[in-house]
Amino acid sequence: MIGNDIVDLKLAKKQSNWQRKGFLEKQFSASEIKAIRNSEKPFELVWLFWSMKEAAYKSYIKSNNKRFFAPKKFNCCITSKNEALVKFLDVEFRINYIITIDYIHSWVVQKTSKNLIQKAFFIADERQQSTITNQSLLANFTDDISINKNEIGIPYLTKSNKKLPTSISTAHHGNYGAYAILHL
């Protein structure tokens, strides 16, 4: 399955106080907290770990079809520049990520001979004060393609009201949106 997440760093800086008492302990494992506290860029690492956890979570719920909140149980480990692993229970997710001065984007990587992952971005123009929605992420698709959600909010694509054989993950935060598609 596929999963991705994006964090608008300016909005995160404005809206969240990650340094408040108890925040790190509720969201991150002991090893993640140690990495954050020892980092030269702790704010950036908080939101990188968060986006990696969200990408892995979105991938996991696609196969289990059940929502839950347990960010601390998704354990992140950066393996190299722009690559990481997230472990949850007995499942390991390979993650790729991009960090810019404006946003962090993380997505689950799956490579098999039959599946092809495509990743695309839609970035809103800050001057327009645009709100990113699932439908606004479809600017590169034909008019008869739409994003719908199942009963627990997992997105899927349809063309002329017929479900497509793809898996899609959408993400939007502040002025940025992204999607990842896995062709099945």
Side-chain angles (χ1 to χ4, degrees), residues 74-131:
F74 286 81
N75 198 355
C76 302
C77 176
I78 295 172
T79 56
S80 65
K81 184 176 169 68
N82 302 110
E83 294 181 347
L85 292 175
V86 175
K87 293 182 183 177
F88 175 72
L89 301 174
D90 60 345
V91 183
E92 193 171 90
F93 301 90
R94 289 180 51 227
I95 305 286
N96 280 4
Y97 62 87
I98 298 170
I99 301 173
T100 74
I101 62 168
D102 297 315
Y103 61 83
I104 294 173
H105 181 218
S106 299
W107 63 97
V108 172
V109 177
Q110 294 181 341
K111 293 183 179 178
T112 68
S113 58
K114 294 182 181 179
N115 295 331
L116 169 68
I117 293 180
Q118 292 183 322
K119 173 180 78 76
F121 263 146
F122 172 80
I123 300 175
D125 183 339
E126 291 182 42
R127 292 166 293 167
Q128 294 177 356
Q129 303 277 313
S130 300
T131 300

Side-chain angles (χ1 to χ4, degrees), residues 1-2 58-65 154-155 167-169:
M1 286 291 153
I2 190 76
K58 288 177 180 180
S59 180
Y60 185 81
I61 65 168
K62 283 182 181 287
S63 31
N64 292 285
N65 213 31
I154 296 173
S167 180
I168 186 168
S169 173

Side-chain angles (χ1 to χ4, degrees), residues 5-18 28 41-52 97-106 121 123-124 126 172-177:
D5 192 54
I6 196 162
V7 176
D8 179 329
L9 293 172
K10 289 176 188 171
L11 185 61
K13 191 170 272 191
K14 243 190 261 184
Q15 289 185 338
S16 177
N17 179 7
W18 65 270
F28 301 104
K41 298 179 178 181
F43 169 80
E44 187 176 278
L45 194 54
V46 163
W47 297 110
L48 174 60
F49 283 163
W50 181 262
S51 71
M52 292 189 317
Y97 62 87
I98 298 170
I99 301 173
T100 74
I101 62 168
D102 297 315
Y103 61 83
I104 294 173
H105 181 218
S106 299
F121 263 146
I123 300 175
E126 291 182 42
H172 30 85
H173 184 237
N175 287 318
Y176 303 96

Side-chain angles (χ1 to χ4, degrees), residues 134-135 137-138 145-149 155-158 168 170 179:
N134 278 349
Q135 296 308 320
L137 292 174
L138 293 173
I145 301 284
S146 63
I147 298 175
N148 300 288
K149 291 186 177 185
Y156 62 92
L157 286 177
T158 60
I168 186 168
T170 61
Y179 59 87

